């Protein structure tokens, strides 16, 4: 009973969160004068996609094409379980929560790869190559960036990481880690500067080129939700999670998450879309060495701050 | 979590793990094989979670799904036939028996229709078995002896007569390396595949080859015995090797062989077409005078295309048996430890004894496979040792060992592989520039 309630709540939260991210994106992109339109547009698009014809491309892979959106959404729902909304408000609290979160991101990208592969088109195949290349190149930076808070908190449990930031948020002394984390998060979520796997006009939508109707809607929900989740995990790792004065804990987490998401969406407006090779060299030549530097710095600072006797 | 729920989870996860593992072995698509392996690993991770080993499950997913397998998929997608369409079409067109369940939903094309037999001058066409010529009946059907589909007699007669005509010239050639030709059946010296019988095209040898001719690089039809300029474009004529004629003959032969024997393979981009008829296997392929045994060997070759397969299978079976024996003979460490022992020690003991053997064995298998592959690859490289030469793209007689520009026309020289022709070891890569190809072919006549 408890399990069913949790999963329903998670799904509901993800739907609302995806809607909120869509609204936020509209607000950030289209400026302050179109507030009402920003709230209406996602609903209109949802209705449109629900009524749209569900086209199956000729020769598409029977199983992979149909299963890819569900795999994507299922993976997102599973990762959502370990995000702590407040003290003891968490779907599933294994001792390795953060590790679990990072690990489950790769099946999400695999689902995107399947979507591109299965549609029996050149565009989809090319974007599958890109998605696979990103998967290889995001995993290492995001893991190393997340090691910083783990070293400081000396735990992989997401709740413990939040509790250990009661005095000082990790962003204060691990800003490099935050930046690397945000870059890698944009990689995973196929967001704007790194979205050439779904490049709009260049590859006709990339991995989602042949999707339409409800399946496309599922993909859009999953993409928005995983962006929200990565921002939420960023808040948990670097901005003290649910901690804050006066307001209830979950509200603090939500506020911080949306603030971070808005900041990221706003900042990426000013960056042109990167080519695949630029993305890969950014990942391997800059982010990877930087994350190693970050780990070294965090290690030294942890020793200095805690006196090495924790 | 109640006991019933755990049982249901355990059974379904085990089922998924086993079924997807079987699917990995049976599917013809490398991409699907990778995905099936991933699914199997994920199901194993689910079993780990049921056992309460969260960390192990997470590591399982991260290492196998996130790291290794995605890279494998990435590499697989670069390959020639990642979707398995070619192999599937080959299986379909040759009516191979075998599991078709996991090549499900490959493109739904049917084998290319063979042309209906032409009724020649109203005379009755007899149908006969390609293997048993004594079988004959008035209509199509299947052979009462071997069950093969009957074919019209006229076709067989054609084939037989052509066989007889050139029976002296029948050679055995590799399906992959058409330049390999020998009089006896055997294995290809390059790739180890079984040679298949090929009829040499009866060729009309024009006896002009002995004298050196001069021809225009742009207009090959201009040929004369004196040097000079081309009457059409005014370019300086180029002296041609006396071997030209036989080169042409060989090229014809080569093309004919390719037409009738090797599959019409297209690049993966094109396999995404609707019908997926990328393979057009002309039906002479399975009837070109091969015995069923040769045919079977060729099919084994086509499926794996390595001669090392039996060795690999033997090595794998041996190692697996050794592994099983070791695991069975190792004393079960928990049998004589009391329930009071703390969990870490128990897990450590487990890891260090029985499970460790399993892990080490798996690692050994992988290492042995890699070492074998490297060894065999090196041997193959040594066998096919070829040196690069550089050749003018237009003036073919310009050859040198360093790159540079052609002294005649100033064009950049192209690299071609030059091999000692006497040993019959030249490579004919599909990517070769045609002229270079021709020259190499010429060396064998």
């Amino acid at each position: 009973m408890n399990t069913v309630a949790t999963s329903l709540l998670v799904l509901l939260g993800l739907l609302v969160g995806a809607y909120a991210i869509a609204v936020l994106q509209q607000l950030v992109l289209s400026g302050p004068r179109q507030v009402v339109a920003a709230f209406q547009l996602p609903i209109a698009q949802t209705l449109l996609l629900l009524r749209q014809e569900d086209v199956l491309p000729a020769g598409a892979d029977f199983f992979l094409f149909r299963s890819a959106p569900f795999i994507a959404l299922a993976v997102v729902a599973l990762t959502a379980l370990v995000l702590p909304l407040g003290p003891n408000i968490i779907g599933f609290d294994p001792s390795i929560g953060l590790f679990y979160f990072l690990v489950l991101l790769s099946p999400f990208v695999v689902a995107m790869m399947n979507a591109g592969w299965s549609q029996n088109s050149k565009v989809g195949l090319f974007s599958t190559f890109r998605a696979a290349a990103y998967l290889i190149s995001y995993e290492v930076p995001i893991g190393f960036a997340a090691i910083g808070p783990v070293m400081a908190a000396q735990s992989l449990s997401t709740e413990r990481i939040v509790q250990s930031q009661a005095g000082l948020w990790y962003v204060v002394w691990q800003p490099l880690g935050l930046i690397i984390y945000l870059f890698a998060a944009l990689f995973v979520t196929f967001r704007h500067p790194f979205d050439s796997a779904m490049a709009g006009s260049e590859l006709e939508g990339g991995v989602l080129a042949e999707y339409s109707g409800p399946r496309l809607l599922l993909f859009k929900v999953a993409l928005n939700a995983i962006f929200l989740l990565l921002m939420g995990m960023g808040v948990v790792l670097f901005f003290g999670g649910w901690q804050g004065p006066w307001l209830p804990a979950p509200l603090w987490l939500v506020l911080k998450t949306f603030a971070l998401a808005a900041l990221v969406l706003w900042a990426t407006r000013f960056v042109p879309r990167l080519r695949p090779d630029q993305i890969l060299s950014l990942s391997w030549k800059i982010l990877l060495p930087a994350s190693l530097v970050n780990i070294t710095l965090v290690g030294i600072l942890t020793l200095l701050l805690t006196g090495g006797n924790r | 979590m109640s006991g019933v729920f755990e049982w249901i989870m355990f059974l379904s996860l085990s089922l998924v793990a086993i079924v997807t593992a079987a699917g990995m072995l049976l599917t013809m698509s490398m991409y699907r094989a990778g995905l099936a392996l991933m699914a199997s690993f994920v199901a194993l991770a689910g079993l780990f979670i049921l056992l309460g080993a969260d960390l192990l499950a997470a590591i399982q997913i991260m290492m196998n799904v996130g790291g290794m397998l995605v890279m494998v998929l990435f590499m697989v997608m670069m390959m020639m036939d990642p979707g398995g369409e070619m192999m599937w079409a080959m299986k379909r067109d040759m009516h191979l028996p075998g599991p078709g369940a996991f090549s499900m939903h490959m493109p739904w094309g049917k084998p290319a229709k063979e042309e209906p037999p032409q009724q020649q001058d109203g005379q009755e066409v007899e149908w006969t078995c390609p293997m048993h010529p004594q079988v004959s009946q008035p209509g199509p059907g299947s052979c009462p002896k071997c069950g093969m589909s009957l074919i019209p007699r006229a076709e067989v007669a054609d084939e037989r007569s052509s066989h007889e005509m050139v029976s002296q010239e029948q050679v055995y050639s590799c399906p992959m390396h058409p330049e390999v030709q020998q009089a006896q059946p055997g294995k290809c010296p390059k790739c180890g595949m079984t040679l298949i019988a090929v009829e040499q095209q009866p060729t009309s040898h024009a006896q002009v080859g002995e004298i050196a001719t001069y021809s225009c690089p742009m207009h090959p039809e201009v040929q004369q015995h004196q040097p000079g300029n081309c009457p059409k474009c005014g370019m300086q004529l180029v002296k041609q090797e006396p071997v030209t004629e036989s080169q042409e003959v060989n090229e014809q032969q080569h093309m004919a062989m390719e037409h009738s024997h090797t599959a019409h393979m297209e690049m993966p981009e094109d396999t995404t077409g609707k019908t997926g008829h990328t393979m057009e296997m002309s039906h002479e392929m399975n009837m070109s005078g091969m015995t069923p045994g040769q045919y079977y060997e060729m099919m084994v070759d086509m499926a794996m295309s390595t001669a090392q397969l039996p060795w690999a299978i033997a090595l794998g079976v041996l190692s697996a048996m050794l592994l099983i024996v070791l695991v069975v003979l190792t004393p079960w460490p928990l049998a004589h430890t009391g329930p009071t022992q703390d969990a870490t020690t128990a897990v450590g003991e487990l890891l260090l004894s029985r499970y460790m053997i399993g892990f080490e064995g798996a690692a050994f298998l992988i290492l042995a496979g890699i070492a074998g592959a490297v060894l065999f690859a090196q041997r193959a490289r040594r066998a096919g040792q070829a040196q690069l030469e550089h050749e003018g793209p237009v003036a073919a007689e310009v050859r040198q060992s360093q790159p540079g520009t052609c002294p005649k026309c100033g064009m950049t020289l192209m690299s071609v592989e030059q091999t000692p022709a006497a040993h019959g070891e030249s490579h004919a890569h599909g990517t070769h520039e045609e002229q270079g190809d021709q020259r190499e072919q010429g060396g064998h006549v």
Side-chain angles (χ1 to χ4, degrees):
Chain A
M1 200 60 222
N2 198 12
T3 320
V4 175
T6 313
S7 37
L8 283 180
L9 272 178
V10 165
L11 276 181
L12 186 69
L14 285 182
L15 284 178
V16 174
Y19 170 72
I21 286 289
V23 170
L24 193 66
Q25 199 169 10
Q26 284 299 324
L27 280 178
V28 168
L29 292 185
S30 58
R33 270 170 294 171
Q34 299 181 356
V35 176
V36 182
F39 278 89
Q40 286 167 347
L41 204 58
I43 298 176
Q45 280 176 342
T46 305
L47 292 177
L48 175 79
L49 285 178
L50 280 177
R51 290 176 52 86
Q52 201 178 39
E53 186 191 6
D54 187 12
V55 181
L56 277 175
D61 194 303
F62 183 88
F63 179 70
L64 291 184
F65 189 81
R66 287 167 174 79
S67 66
F70 294 100
I71 294 178
L73 202 61
V75 169
V76 174
L78 282 177
T79 42
L81 285 177
V82 289
L83 196 73
L85 290 177
N88 293 323
I89 311 178
I90 186 169
F92 171 50
D93 186 21
S95 56
I96 50 157
L98 180 62
F99 191 49
Y100 170 97
F101 183 86
L102 296 179
V103 156
L104 276 181
L105 290 178
S106 55
F108 176 76
V109 186
V110 171
M112 300 302 277
M113 282 170 61
N114 286 352
W117 170 266
S118 62
Q119 55 191 242
N120 195 17
S121 74
K122 291 177 189 173
V123 163
L125 185 67
F126 285 137
S127 43
T128 310
F129 280 123
R130 293 185 179 180
Y134 300 164
L135 172 55
I136 297 173
S137 49
Y138 90 82
E139 230 177 18
V140 181
I142 206 172
F144 280 171
I147 281 181
V150 171
M151 284 164 72
Q154 305 199 337
S155 169
L156 275 166
S157 157
T158 43
E159 287 222 16
R160 198 84 66 77
I161 290 175
V162 171
Q163 281 157 6
S164 70
Q165 298 181 64
L168 189 62
W169 291 355
Y170 288 150
V171 67
V172 179
W173 53 288
Q174 300 183 13
L176 186 57
L178 174 70
I179 291 168
I180 296 167
Y181 176 87
L182 288 181
F183 269 110
L186 288 171
F187 271 43
V188 191
T189 52
F190 298 90
R191 281 283 151 176
H192 160 57
F194 308 120
D195 62 348
S196 59
M198 317 203 287
S201 53
E202 181 199 359
L203 284 183
E204 308 295 340
V207 288
L208 305 183
E210 299 282 350
Y211 279 89
S212 61
R215 290 199 182 96
L216 184 58
L217 181 67
L218 279 184
F219 262 126
K220 294 206 160 181
V221 168
L223 279 166
N224 277 345
I226 199 158
F227 180 67
L228 181 77
L229 283 178
L230 274 151
M231 292 303 117
M233 191 49 85
V235 168
V236 165
L237 289 181
F238 294 99
F239 290 97
W242 69 75
Q243 290 177 345
W246 310 307
L247 291 174
L251 199 56
W252 264 118
L253 184 81
V254 169
L255 277 180
K256 287 178 187 173
T257 302
F258 280 104
L260 185 63
L263 182 73
V264 169
L265 284 177
W266 173 79
T268 52
R269 283 179 67 189
F270 303 105
V271 189
R273 174 182 294 144
L274 267 70
R275 289 199 315 265
D277 58 324
Q278 289 170 333
I279 294 182
L280 292 190
S281 41
L282 172 72
S283 165
W284 291 108
K285 292 181 187 165
I286 300 175
L287 291 187
L288 184 59
S291 56
L292 291 174
V293 169
N294 179 48
I295 287 180
T296 317
L297 286 180
V298 169
I300 295 170
L301 284 175
T302 310
L303 284 182
L304 287 181
L305 286 178
T306 61
N309 52 5
R310 219 157 90 176
Chain B
M1 240 190 268
S2 64
V4 180
F5 179 71
E6 271 188 20
W7 265 105
I8 292 172
M9 286 303 290
F10 172 74
L11 287 179
S12 50
L13 284 175
S14 315
L15 191 71
V16 168
I18 292 171
V19 165
T20 48
M24 183 203 75
L25 289 178
L26 294 180
T27 182
M28 293 207 176
S29 151
M30 286 189 273
Y31 189 87
R32 277 195 195 142
L35 282 180
L37 190 59
M38 265 187 206
S40 189
F41 280 144
V42 169
L44 281 186
L47 288 181
F48 287 150
I49 288 183
L50 272 190
L51 291 174
D54 294 346
L55 182 64
L56 209 53
I59 289 176
Q60 166 89 348
I61 292 182
M62 191 182 85
M63 300 309 286
N64 289 329
V65 177
M68 183 186 88
L69 270 174
V70 169
M71 281 182 223
V72 168
L73 275 193
F74 193 46
M75 286 184 274
V76 155
M77 284 192 291
M78 302 281 189
M79 286 180 180
M80 168 129 173
D81 184 26
E85 203 167 6
M86 206 174 78
M87 291 309 298
W88 182 83
M90 199 180 278
K91 178 171 170 289
R92 175 197 65 194
D93 291 348
M94 299 184 142
H95 308 289
L96 279 188
F102 288 94
S103 42
M104 59 184 179
H105 198 70
M106 284 296 184
W108 38 67
K110 289 182 179 61
K113 270 256 168 84
E114 288 162 16
E115 306 91 62
Q118 276 116 24
Q119 300 278 327
Q120 285 161 354
D121 310 322
Q123 81 183 55
E124 282 294 306
V125 176
E126 277 190 347
W127 291 70
T128 183
C129 172
M131 290 295 162
H132 303 93
Q134 63 271 33
V135 174
S136 84
Q137 60 181 66
S142 56
C143 172
K145 294 193 177 176
C146 58
M148 283 176 77
S149 312
L150 297 188
I151 59 171
R153 172 76 84 182
E155 236 173 89
V156 180
D158 274 356
E159 228 170 78
R160 300 275 153 179
S161 62
S162 63
H163 264 284
E164 278 148 29
M165 239 168 61
V166 290
S167 60
Q168 295 309 103
E169 291 186 61
Q170 188 167 68
V171 293
Y172 289 85
S173 163
C174 171
M176 290 297 158
H177 301 92
E179 71 279 8
V180 173
Q181 295 191 348
Q182 58 184 55
Q184 291 85 29
K187 301 273 181 185
C188 173
K190 291 188 181 172
C191 57
M193 286 176 74
T194 311
L195 299 185
I196 57 174
V198 180
E199 301 152 25
Q200 273 192 338
Q201 300 285 315
T203 50
S204 55
H205 284 267
Q207 299 300 323
V208 287
E210 300 310 314
I211 323 154
T213 55
Y214 292 84
S215 125
C216 173
M218 289 300 158
H219 301 92
E221 68 275 14
V222 174
Q223 295 205 341
Q224 55 187 52
H225 299 315
Q226 296 86 30
N229 290 337
C230 173
K232 292 192 179 175
C233 58
M235 279 177 80
Q236 200 178 18
L237 294 189
V238 167
K239 186 182 176 188
Q240 293 202 319
E241 308 293 319
V243 84
T244 314
E245 282 303 312
S246 41
Q247 268 174 23
E248 271 177 26
V249 167
N250 205 300
E251 177 69 12
Q252 273 178 9
Q253 217 179 60
H254 175 79
M255 278 168 60
M257 268 166 45
E258 243 177 13
H259 185 70
S260 64
H261 287 283
T262 57
H264 186 67
M265 297 174 187
E266 291 177 7
M267 293 315 287
E269 285 96 69
D270 293 337
T271 61
T272 50
K274 268 183 195 167
T275 52
H277 273 292
T278 54
M279 294 270 307
E280 279 156 26
M281 197 69 69
S282 66
H283 74 282
E284 291 102 296
M285 178 130 186
N286 36 16
M287 293 162 198
S288 57
M290 278 193 292
T291 64
Q294 282 174 328
Y295 178 64
Y296 172 77
E297 273 193 30
M298 192 192 71
M299 287 327 299
V300 171
D301 287 343
M302 288 299 219
M304 288 298 170
S305 73
T306 50
Q308 290 80 35
L309 188 67
W311 292 100
I313 291 175
L315 190 65
V317 169
L318 267 181
S319 317
M321 277 161 56
L322 186 70
L323 208 62
I324 291 171
V325 168
L326 278 178
V327 169
V328 169
L329 289 187
T330 316
W332 184 243
L334 292 187
H336 47 81
T337 51
T340 52
Q341 196 167 21
D342 63 329
T344 25
T345 323
V347 168
E349 270 190 36
L350 262 181
L351 278 181
L352 285 176
S353 59
R354 188 174 288 213
Y355 291 163
M356 212 54 192
I357 290 174
F359 286 131
E360 293 293 325
F364 170 74
L365 269 185
I366 293 167
L367 276 183
I370 293 172
V374 168
L375 278 182
F376 283 125
Q378 279 193 344
R379 185 197 287 177
R381 199 176 308 134
R382 222 174 294 129
Q385 194 79 197
Q387 62 194 101
L388 273 183
E389 282 208 352
H390 298 269
E391 188 186 64
V394 175
E397 75 279 3
V398 175
R399 286 201 151 216
Q400 58 184 51
S401 50
Q402 278 88 36
T405 51
C406 174
K408 290 196 174 175
C409 55
M411 286 174 81
T412 314
L413 296 186
M414 313 179 71
S415 62
V416 286
E417 258 176 38
Q418 167 68 28
T419 50
H423 301 296
E425 282 189 346
S426 86
H427 260 288
H429 285 298
T431 53
H432 258 207
E433 191 231 350
E434 218 171 82
Q435 224 166 5
D437 222 336
Q438 266 188 25
R439 301 200 129 249
E440 284 178 13
Q441 294 300 318
H444 293 287
V445 172

